[in-house]
Amino acid sequence: MSDTRISDSIIHQLPPEISNKIAAGEVIQRPASVVKELLDNAIDAGGDQVKILIQNAGRTLIQVSDNGCGMSKEDLPLCFERHATSKINSVDDLFKIRTLGFRGEAMASIASVSQVTVKTKRAGDENGWEIEVWGGEEREIKPTAIDNGTTIAVRNLFFNVPARRQFLKTDVTELRHILRTIQYAALANTDVAFYVEADGDIIYDLPVQDLKDRVTQIFGSSYKASLIEFGEETSYVKIHGFASDPKLAKKSRGEQFLFVNGRPFQHRYLTHVILSLYDAWTRNNEYPFYALFFDIDPSKVDVNVHPSKMEVKFEDERSVIQLARSVVNRALNKHFQVPNIQQDQDAFLSDDPSKGFDSGFSFNKPQSSGQSGGGFQIPSRINNRSSNIGGRGDEFGKKLYGGGSPQRPNYSEAENFEPAEEEQKKVTQEKGFWQLHNTYILTQTRTGLTVIDQHLAHKRIIFEKAINATEEALPSTQQLLFAQTLELSASDYTLLKELHSIIQRMGFSVQLLSGNTAMINGVPADIEIGNEEEVLISMLHQYQELGQKVKLEAREKLAIAFAAKAAIPRGKKLTEQEMEGLVDQLFACEQPYLDPLKKPTISYIPLDELQSRFR
């Protein structure tokens, strides 16, 4: 009887071009992943100068040059072979890794999804060598003229995997990830000079320097006097680094750095522990800077636990975390001899009525002689009811109060206009406005009681006015007597460049300069002079925070950030005329019922419900 068993195998070995692309999916997730792998190789090569060129946020070009040891002609093609490395030789080496790279996967993965050119030369060689690998296919090796070291140029990332390319974020987002990767490398290797250029703009030019100077040059001169140094050494681990004064805390993450043996890593619980030490001086959604370095026996930490090498496992994790908490906490307590629990009032996306907002905007009318003025200013462009705000809310207002509204003063006619006493009495008698806990405005209607959140209501008003302002041909700007020079971090400067045209249309006059600096020549009419730097930086940070939470157009997110900074704070006492003006402006909005983030501005309590509570 013949054997009828099926012998054909359905399992087969994948060809290299497919397996490399699969590996690239794990190792190379975005342009920043390429930058990280190339920087690891450059630093491992032992040089003291690294130059990085970026075009189109890494989509078009990522080039990293170093003056390290270089490679021979024989090693050049081997660096593109999977699991070919000079970093380890035995299994034991995996448990005492000192280098940043060690797996031998990066170059093969990068070359499989891009067009790579490598030029290299060793110090003793007469000439260098060059090789090109496009989509995993090697081309000829040829001699080339190059200084000692290695230059790797990665062009057209994901050119042969268009689906991956479509999933990349905006250039600003991708460049921000690249800059954060470079920041990690620059902080961990202060004995290496870094030069970074993006689309022709010099982002960083960092000489060999100590850690404090490196932090200051990367993040701005304001950090120099606000860094808190800490350090301690035990028989198991050495900890050292810097943390910032809480006044430099930002609304978004991105300036928290952890290193072990010079290798950057992420650790969710350790990050939570360090941030919690700032609870007495910061509020929710505020993140201070810190750079925390651990030096430990390599055999006591496993760095081979994740494809991106950004996670590690300590042999005695509990002791490491407890020591880190103790060291940083002691440094903070020493810095704040008397704990300062006064919190920054610049709240954003907060619903807690007890938390105020230091808006930085002027809501007070200039006082004329013989008058005790007060109240928020009603600017001609942003807060003026008579301008083109839309007005479906007017219908709601008429339904609430019945019939047409009584004639009220036109605040746009004169800045110092004060309603006549008879007219004030008329409005008061017909409606009446009361303030509850300096937060809510109460007013009676024909059929009940209306409660309005003054902060959320004003956010809606300013948001709609800011949106309309971006469509005006000539924005309203007040010129500064003395222009203000603003020093920004590289990521903030990149974001400002992207949003520059929108910010200009909102009434700012900002000139972009070199070296991550900008000059403020004018601001919207609503901003209090002297506070323009804080306002602009806060808007950028709040814009970034919004980008992680909501999907809106850039101008909408920027208008929300502007409104959050400009709105009347909770806890601010308003006069009855100010409350009336705010309510009128709210009902003139296109969407008076919700603030820009869809939180209700108005709550209505029917008269029947009130009566039922007394039965």
Side-chain angles (χ1 to χ4, degrees):
M1 186 173 181
S2 62
D3 190 354
T4 59
R5 290 179 301 173
I6 299 175
S7 59
D8 292 340
S9 173
I10 62 174
I11 298 176
H12 57 277
Q13 189 78 32
L14 290 175
E17 61 269 20
I18 296 179
S19 60
N20 283 341
K21 285 184 174 64
I22 293 173
E26 295 180 341
V27 179
I28 309 303
Q29 301 172 350
R30 61 193 334 152
S33 305
V34 175
V35 174
K36 179 185 182 303
E37 298 297 342
L38 298 187
L39 280 177
D40 286 353
N41 286 338
I43 293 169
D44 285 342
D48 59 3
Q49 295 180 11
V50 175
K51 183 178 181 179
I52 305 158
L53 303 180
I54 305 294
Q55 291 181 6
N56 297 333
R59 301 171 198 263
T60 304
L61 173 68
I62 299 170
Q63 180 173 300
V64 176
S65 305
D66 66 72
N67 64 343
C69 61
M71 290 181 284
S72 66
K73 179 182 178 181
E74 292 73 25
D75 284 341
L76 194 51
L78 284 175
C79 78
F80 291 100
E81 296 292 331
R82 285 180 57 76
H83 307 304
T85 180
S86 61
K87 314 295 175 62
I88 58 175
N89 295 301
S90 66
V91 174
D92 292 339
D93 292 340
L94 283 174
F95 302 101
K96 51 182 179 181
I97 294 173
R98 282 285 184 183
T99 57
L100 297 174
F102 56 89
R103 291 194 184 125
E105 293 180 306
M107 292 304 298
S109 298
I110 293 171
S112 69
V113 292
S114 64
Q115 299 166 342
V116 180
T117 301
V118 179
K119 297 179 181 181
T120 187
K121 178 178 178 294
R122 297 183 301 180
D125 293 342
E126 294 183 0
N127 59 266
W129 296 94
E130 175 182 340
I131 188 174
E132 289 185 346
V133 181
W134 288 23
E137 297 182 4
E138 290 187 13
R139 304 193 174 191
E140 65 174 339
I141 301 176
K142 56 186 179 182
T144 188
I146 185 178
D147 293 331
N148 295 338
T150 301
T151 295
I152 302 176
V154 178
R155 293 180 171 86
N156 302 319
L157 184 62
F158 300 133
F159 79 101
N160 56 352
V161 193
R164 294 288 305 276
R165 199 175 181 92
Q166 291 175 359
F167 281 97
L168 295 179
K169 305 297 183 182
T170 65
D171 282 358
V172 170
T173 299
E174 295 300 338
L175 184 57
R176 188 165 64 244
H177 284 286
I178 289 173
L179 294 180
R180 179 164 172 80
T181 299
I182 295 171
Q183 288 168 0
Y184 265 115
L187 290 174
N189 300 276
T190 55
D191 56 342
V192 177
F194 289 84
Y195 176 88
V196 183
E197 187 177 300
D199 297 319
D201 294 331
I202 299 175
I203 305 298
Y204 296 127
D205 190 0
L206 308 173
V208 174
Q209 55 198 157
D210 62 32
L211 180 58
K212 187 172 185 178
D213 288 340
R214 180 64 57 94
V215 171
T216 300
Q217 192 163 348
I218 292 176
F219 299 104
S221 57
S222 61
Y223 281 67
K224 189 163 190 177
S226 301
L227 291 177
I228 306 168
E229 188 172 9
F230 54 82
E232 186 164 322
E233 185 172 1
T234 70
S235 59
Y236 183 73
V237 62
K238 176 184 177 182
I239 297 178
H240 67 99
F242 286 98
S244 74
D245 189 288
K247 67 184 179 183
L248 295 180
K250 296 186 176 179
K251 297 292 183 183
S252 56
R253 298 178 186 268
E255 294 185 0
Q256 296 77 44
F257 301 91
L258 298 172
F259 303 89
V260 57
N261 296 338
R263 175 187 300 279
F265 73 99
Q266 297 172 353
H267 196 291
R268 183 174 298 181
Y269 181 65
L270 180 56
T271 297
H272 166 75
V273 167
I274 302 302
L275 292 177
S276 67
L277 298 177
Y278 280 86
D279 284 348
W281 304 284
T282 60
R283 58 192 306 147
N284 291 335
N285 299 322
E286 287 187 340
Y287 306 97
F289 164 88
Y290 62 78
L292 187 59
F293 296 81
F294 298 89
D295 293 324
I296 190 172
D297 184 342
S299 65
K300 306 297 184 183
V301 58
D302 186 359
V303 300
N304 188 27
V305 296
H306 193 272
S308 67
K309 296 175 289 188
M310 284 299 289
E311 296 181 10
V312 301
K313 183 178 292 185
F314 294 99
E315 182 183 74
D316 188 355
E317 186 172 275
R318 181 178 179 183
S319 296
V320 170
I321 293 176
Q322 286 181 344
L323 182 60
R325 177 195 283 117
S326 174
V327 171
V328 177
N329 189 47
R330 190 183 314 122
L332 291 176
N333 288 338
K334 182 178 179 181
H335 181 74
F336 301 106
Q337 296 179 2
V338 179
N340 176 18
I341 60 174
Q342 181 179 357
Q343 297 178 349
D344 183 5
Q345 291 183 325
D346 179 21
F348 181 60
L349 306 179
S350 173
D351 294 320
D352 187 349
S354 66
K355 297 178 181 178
F357 289 73
D358 181 12
S359 68
F361 286 70
S362 174
F363 299 105
N364 294 327
K365 297 181 183 180
Q367 295 184 9
S368 58
S369 59
Q371 292 179 338
S372 57
F376 59 90
Q377 180 179 344
I378 303 179
S380 59
R381 183 173 62 88
I382 296 295
N383 285 344
N384 179 8
R385 179 184 177 183
S386 63
S387 62
N388 56 349
I389 195 172
R392 292 195 300 179
D394 278 332
E395 301 174 4
F396 179 72
K398 291 177 181 178
K399 291 179 181 179
L400 279 176
Y401 297 109
S405 299
Q407 292 296 319
R408 294 180 181 80
N410 185 355
Y411 289 93
S412 64
E413 291 179 356
E415 185 175 354
N416 295 323
F417 180 89
E418 290 292 336
E421 184 177 353
E422 298 82 348
E423 190 158 16
Q424 293 184 37
K425 290 181 179 179
K426 179 180 178 183
V427 173
T428 301
Q429 291 170 357
E430 290 205 12
K431 293 185 179 177
F433 296 91
W434 301 269
Q435 194 177 24
L436 180 64
H437 295 299
N438 293 337
T439 298
Y440 303 104
I441 298 173
L442 310 181
T443 180
Q444 68 176 11
T445 66
R446 291 184 303 168
T447 58
L449 177 68
T450 297
V451 183
I452 300 172
D453 186 308
Q454 66 187 38
H455 175 68
L456 298 182
H458 204 211
K459 280 176 66 175
R460 163 54 63 181
I461 294 165
I462 296 174
F463 170 77
E464 291 197 10
K465 287 296 182 179
I467 288 293
N468 291 338
T470 62
E471 300 173 353
E472 294 179 2
L474 186 63
S476 175
T477 302
Q478 56 176 336
Q479 295 298 318
L480 301 179
L481 184 60
F482 299 102
Q484 298 294 319
T485 301
L486 183 63
E487 184 179 353
L488 299 165
S489 67
S491 57
D492 285 348
Y493 183 81
T494 302
L495 182 60
L496 179 61
K497 282 181 60 177
E498 182 192 31
L499 301 175
H500 186 252
S501 62
I502 303 175
I503 289 175
Q504 295 282 97
R505 295 202 305 270
M506 290 182 66
F508 287 89
S509 176
V510 180
Q511 180 182 359
L512 298 176
L513 306 177
S514 60
N516 298 333
T517 58
M519 182 176 291
I520 306 175
N521 298 305
V523 294
D526 313 282
I527 296 181
E528 183 179 358
I529 299 298
N531 207 34
E532 52 276 354
E533 294 184 20
E534 177 189 347
V535 170
L536 186 58
I537 293 176
S538 177
M539 286 175 59
L540 293 175
H541 293 168
Q542 292 173 356
Y543 176 91
Q544 288 179 320
E545 184 182 1
L546 274 173
Q548 301 170 3
K549 295 184 177 181
V550 295
K551 293 184 178 180
L552 296 171
E553 294 181 7
R555 67 166 187 160
E556 292 177 318
K557 288 188 287 187
L558 198 58
I560 292 174
F562 182 82
K565 194 66 179 170
I568 296 172
R570 293 187 174 102
K572 178 177 176 63
K573 186 172 180 60
L574 304 178
T575 66
E576 192 164 7
Q577 288 75 25
E578 291 167 348
M579 288 186 280
E580 180 190 359
L582 183 67
V583 172
D584 285 347
Q585 294 169 67
L586 178 63
F587 288 152
C589 289
E590 189 70 19
Q591 294 288 343
Y593 318 109
L594 301 172
D595 86 331
L597 292 175
K598 310 303 181 184
K599 300 172 186 175
T601 60
I602 301 170
S603 179
Y604 175 67
I605 304 175
L607 187 59
D608 292 345
E609 181 178 336
L610 289 173
Q611 291 174 342
S612 67
R613 293 177 179 268
F614 296 95
R615 293 175 182 170

